[in-house]
Amino acid sequence: MSASIEDVARAASVSVATVSRALRGLPNVAPSTRARVLAAASELRYVADPHASRLAARRSLTVGLALPMIGTWYHAKLFSGVEAVVAATGYDVLPFTMTGTGGVDRFLEDLPFRKRVDGLVVVDAPLHPDQLGRLVGAGVALVTLGLRCEQAPSITLDNRAAARLAVSHLTGLGHRRIAIIGGVPDDPFRFSAPVDRHRGYVDALSAAGITPDPALAVPGNFSLEGGAEAMQRLLGASDPPTAVFACSDEMAIGAMQVARDAGLRVPGDLSMVGFDDHDVSAYLGLTTIRQDVTGQGERAAQLLLGLLAPTGGGGAVTVHEVAPTRLLVRHTTGPPPHPTDQFD
Amino acid sequence: MSASIEDVARAASVSVATVSRALRGLPNVAPSTRARVLAAASELRYVADPHASRLAARRSLTVGLALPMIGTWYHAKLFSGVEAVVAATGYDVLPFTMTGTGGVDRFLEDLPFRKRVDGLVVVDAPLHPDQLGRLVGAGVALVTLGLRCEQAPSITLDNRAAARLAVSHLTGLGHRRIAIIGGVPDDPFRFSAPVDRHRGYVDALSAAGITPDPALAVPGNFSLEGGAEAMQRLLGASDPPTAVFACSDEMAIGAMQVARDAGLRVPGDLSMVGFDDHDVSAYLGLTTIRQDVTGQGERAAQLLLGLLAPTGGGGAVTVHEVAPTRLLVRHTTGPPPHPTDQFD
DNA sequence: GGGGTTGATGAAAGCGTTTTCATCCGTTAG
DNA sequence: CTAACGGATGAAAACGCTTTCATCAACCCC
């Protein structure tokens, strides 16, 4: 079918060993020989069979990308970033989605993975630190994104500070009844972002002398629908909020729509701040916490490839990076309806 | 390091051939033997090395997913669909993004691909039918998505009919000056969707006795920004439209924002219909043409796996499926500002 | 009972690379 | 002039599977 290394060797009148060396740019090949081999290879349109070479070299030249799902804005952006830098280096990327709760176990049981990938970017780490530790112990190069674990480099956000910033913006505008739309109620993963964001929310309230009202903290599932349902619940409360901090822009968008359908003006009657800076947020004028998701994906890939590089694995200390976030004030936040009423 | 097939063979006191057969569920293995092998394998936590097995079996057990990019809503959804069904069958999916114009050539030159994947889902086919034909000729199982090519099964939309439907909705409401926000001006790919949608647009106008005004057809690049810029241009025209058909929801969203910023009410002063039914569209009340992108991805994967299945490759006639679309009337379309004026 | 089946098994030949190790030869140092 | 050296090369042994082919026993039907 297609040319093998032997065909090239024959065409260039050298041994397969020399072809292998010449083609991979290894030293100790005479320049004239290398040229001859290169010519023969391109003449025959030879490309090394990846499986054969990976078997022989005992490296898969593949990095796995494990994430809870793909198809959401956040994960797609992340994927995009990772893929871009990984592909540029000749590695393959093997996506692995662990949808649902069983997915995580599947992931761990799928030890084929261990033989398939040289390294792994684990996103939103729906894994126990122990489990991650086991992976590291098993010799898989690992970078985590969204959760910090001591054994491996990570990229995270200062979620608490970011949330504090968002909510302070709200208190600064005079809001006293501020709701938070957060993660999933019965967290099947111990995903820390929603927890940390909730802490930042509490921080900011406390700083403004406000006691958090449990009725104002509702789960939103990080989805449009979840945000909408959450808002529904908030509006049904006896004393509805004048402002909402949604832990993702998608939830914010869903929530805003419900609010507007209920006749509330945003920001006139209700202020809304989101988290992410989703592509559409700029067009909706959503005030939000901006983060560069694609950039984080790229960075994670770079870290991983660094680990994989012949030189990198050794002495380097595992680095924990905190990606920057900032508050983007647009047009969905403003003073509460009757600010003075709240202060008497 | 980790157990090999020989270890299992030894542990079960059989030959490696028998282990291979037993583990893969091949016939002609005594039940008792199979049980013994299974036990030994699970005891040793044995998993076949994928590279070795792929090399020996001469199948990569991988399907490639070639798309112009990842990170947009549309492509992420597609990916999600493909990945879900492919992963369920034990195949790997290898994403290949051909960003930019050079990407396509890279894709074609990357014949490693041919040795790496058993089949390919090509999305939005930024390839010449000739090039696709060559791929098919080279023995790669192929399914195209978004463009139809005779040599391979495909999943497409009836873009023309869908656009006709969208624009008819507008003419039906009484609009006469209807703009279209379409694809990229100097189409580096000969991507047919925008072209067909434009045809449908013209169809609908003609049916209503309207002569298309070239000034009302502007490119939008299928992005939020592009949609915004397009709207900018439309508003600057001497005789602005009262309705806009955007070839994607993202463009519609960008355009709507610009329109609203310019003081226009939607749908009071301007009607807007999009295409896709993006996740957020429901929450924005955007009237649009709905398509099930994830479903199309799933279907494409099924077709491809069917081709790959031992039985499937042979006699089956290549099928061209047309995924359904329908008009979803929400709240961004209404009669033109002064309908009667238009009919004098 | 004997020849033909049939099913279970193992030996061994690939699959297409990489990599080790030995060889060969032209240089350089002594 | 010889010995040691180092760079270029090839032979061959992995790498860890799959698959063909041969073997062997048990079985079946006149």
Side-chain angles (χ1 to χ4, degrees):
Chain A
M1 174 76 53
S2 77
S4 87
I5 197 173
E6 282 197 68
D7 301 325
V8 179
R10 209 171 304 122
S13 319
V14 293
S15 70
V16 296
T18 300
V19 174
S20 177
R21 281 188 288 253
L23 256 28
R24 285 179 305 145
L26 297 182
N28 294 353
V29 176
S32 63
T33 308
R34 192 185 303 268
R36 204 147 31 91
V37 170
L38 253 32
S42 96
E43 168 68 23
L44 294 169
R45 307 181 78 67
Y46 168 75
V47 181
D49 179 305
H51 298 303
S53 101
R54 289 165 190 197
L55 173 58
R58 266 163 294 202
R59 317 189 317 133
S60 67
L61 284 184
T62 300
V63 314
L65 176 53
L67 18 70
M69 64 215 291
I70 185 155
T72 68
W73 177 83
Y74 175 79
H75 297 108
K77 289 296 180 189
L78 227 38
F79 196 128
S80 180
V82 170
E83 204 269 345
V85 354
V86 168
T89 65
Y91 273 75
D92 286 341
V93 23
L94 178 62
F96 192 102
T97 72
M98 10 197 189
T99 356
T101 42
V104 180
D105 303 325
R106 246 187 30 242
F107 169 70
L108 285 169
E109 272 321 302
D110 198 0
L111 291 186
F113 224 80
R114 269 172 48 188
K115 292 186 178 175
R116 279 195 221 165
V117 303
D118 298 329
L120 214 42
V121 174
V122 179
V123 176
D124 280 359
L127 299 171
H128 225 46
D130 300 355
Q131 303 175 312
L132 285 172
R134 257 205 299 151
L135 279 178
V136 174
V140 186
L142 200 53
V143 171
T144 64
L145 218 156
L147 179 61
R148 177 169 171 159
C149 115
E150 288 314 315
Q151 299 99 323
S154 68
I155 298 179
T156 50
L157 258 35
D158 188 343
N159 282 297
R160 185 167 185 173
R164 197 184 303 133
L165 189 60
V167 178
S168 298
H169 167 60
L170 260 14
T171 59
L173 286 166
H175 292 274
R176 309 284 299 171
R177 288 202 60 76
I178 303 173
I180 179 170
I181 301 182
V184 292
D186 59 340
D187 199 1
F189 321 131
R190 68 229 95 260
F191 180 36
S192 67
V195 178
D196 290 338
R197 290 178 196 174
H198 189 270
R199 289 209 184 99
Y201 160 80
V202 172
D203 288 351
L205 292 188
S206 305
I210 306 170
T211 312
D213 177 353
L216 293 185
V218 296
N221 224 356
F222 282 93
S223 72
L224 279 158
E225 296 76 12
E229 286 163 20
M231 193 70 222
Q232 211 74 265
R233 272 179 59 179
L234 287 173
L235 292 181
S238 56
D239 187 6
T242 64
V244 173
F245 167 51
C247 287
S248 82
D249 280 3
E250 297 194 61
M251 293 192 291
I253 294 169
M256 273 201 298
Q257 187 56 33
V258 168
R260 284 183 168 138
D261 284 350
L264 295 177
R265 289 163 307 140
V266 177
D269 300 312
L270 182 80
S271 283
M272 178 72 63
V273 23
F275 200 115
D276 280 347
D277 197 21
H278 190 293
D279 288 342
V280 307
S281 297
Y283 292 87
L284 300 181
L286 180 63
T287 293
T288 193
I289 297 288
R290 166 159 179 74
Q291 63 167 324
D292 177 10
V293 181
T294 307
Q296 289 167 39
E298 293 170 352
R299 189 68 192 121
Q302 284 164 358
L303 286 179
L304 184 58
L305 292 171
L307 246 45
L308 258 27
T311 61
V317 57
T318 70
V319 18
H320 296 281
E321 298 190 0
V322 176
T325 51
R326 66 177 200 275
L327 178 68
L328 244 42
V329 177
R330 293 200 273 236
H331 317 302
T332 56
T333 46
H338 307 293
T340 49
D341 295 1
Q342 317 258 339
F343 286 107
D344 59 329
Chain B
M1 173 76 53
S2 75
S4 85
I5 196 174
E6 283 198 68
D7 301 326
V8 179
R10 209 170 305 123
S13 320
V14 294
S15 70
V16 296
T18 301
V19 174
S20 177
R21 281 188 287 253
L23 256 27
R24 286 180 305 147
L26 264 35
N28 294 354
V29 176
S32 64
T33 309
R34 193 186 302 271
R36 201 145 34 90
V37 171
L38 254 30
S42 95
E43 168 69 23
L44 294 170
R45 306 180 78 66
Y46 167 76
V47 181
D49 178 306
H51 299 304
S53 99
R54 289 163 190 199
L55 174 59
R58 268 165 297 208
R59 316 188 319 132
S60 67
L61 283 184
T62 300
V63 313
L65 176 54
L67 19 70
M69 65 215 293
I70 185 157
T72 67
W73 176 83
Y74 176 78
H75 297 107
K77 288 296 179 190
L78 227 37
F79 196 128
S80 180
V82 170
E83 205 270 345
V85 355
V86 169
T89 66
Y91 273 75
D92 286 341
V93 23
L94 208 198
F96 192 102
T97 73
M98 12 199 187
T99 357
T101 43
V104 180
D105 304 325
R106 247 187 30 243
F107 169 70
L108 285 170
E109 272 321 302
D110 197 1
L111 292 187
F113 222 79
R114 268 171 49 186
K115 292 188 176 173
R116 278 195 224 164
V117 304
D118 297 331
L120 214 41
V121 175
V122 180
V123 176
D124 280 358
L127 298 172
H128 225 47
D130 300 356
Q131 303 176 312
L132 285 172
R134 258 205 297 151
L135 280 177
V136 173
V140 186
L142 200 54
V143 171
T144 64
L145 217 156
L147 180 62
R148 177 169 171 160
C149 117
E150 287 315 315
Q151 298 99 326
S154 66
I155 297 179
T156 50
L157 259 35
D158 189 343
N159 282 296
R160 185 168 185 169
R164 196 185 303 133
L165 189 60
V167 177
S168 298
H169 168 60
L170 260 13
T171 59
L173 286 167
H175 291 273
R176 307 287 296 172
R177 288 201 59 75
I178 302 173
I180 178 170
I181 300 182
V184 291
D186 59 340
D187 200 2
F189 320 130
R190 69 228 94 261
F191 180 36
S192 68
V195 177
D196 290 339
R197 290 178 196 174
H198 188 271
R199 289 209 184 98
Y201 160 79
V202 172
D203 288 351
L205 292 188
S206 305
I210 305 171
T211 312
D213 177 352
L216 292 185
V218 295
N221 224 357
F222 282 94
S223 71
L224 280 158
E225 297 76 12
E229 285 162 20
M231 195 68 223
Q232 211 74 265
R233 273 179 58 179
L234 288 173
L235 292 181
S238 55
D239 188 6
T242 63
V244 173
F245 167 49
C247 287
S248 83
D249 281 3
E250 297 194 61
M251 294 194 290
I253 293 168
M256 271 200 300
Q257 187 54 33
V258 167
R260 284 182 168 138
D261 285 349
L264 296 176
R265 289 163 307 140
V266 177
D269 300 312
L270 182 79
S271 283
M272 178 72 64
V273 23
F275 200 113
D276 278 348
D277 198 22
H278 189 294
D279 288 341
V280 306
S281 298
Y283 292 88
L284 300 181
L286 179 64
T287 294
T288 193
I289 297 289
R290 164 157 181 76
Q291 62 168 324
D292 177 10
V293 182
T294 307
Q296 288 167 39
E298 292 169 353
R299 188 68 191 122
Q302 285 164 358
L303 286 179
L304 185 58
L305 292 171
L307 247 42
L308 259 26
T311 61
V317 59
T318 68
V319 17
H320 296 281
E321 298 192 357
V322 176
T325 50
R326 67 176 200 276
L327 177 67
L328 243 43
V329 177
R330 293 201 272 236
H331 317 301
T332 57
T333 46
H338 307 292
T340 49
D341 295 1
Q342 317 259 339
F343 285 107
D344 62 328

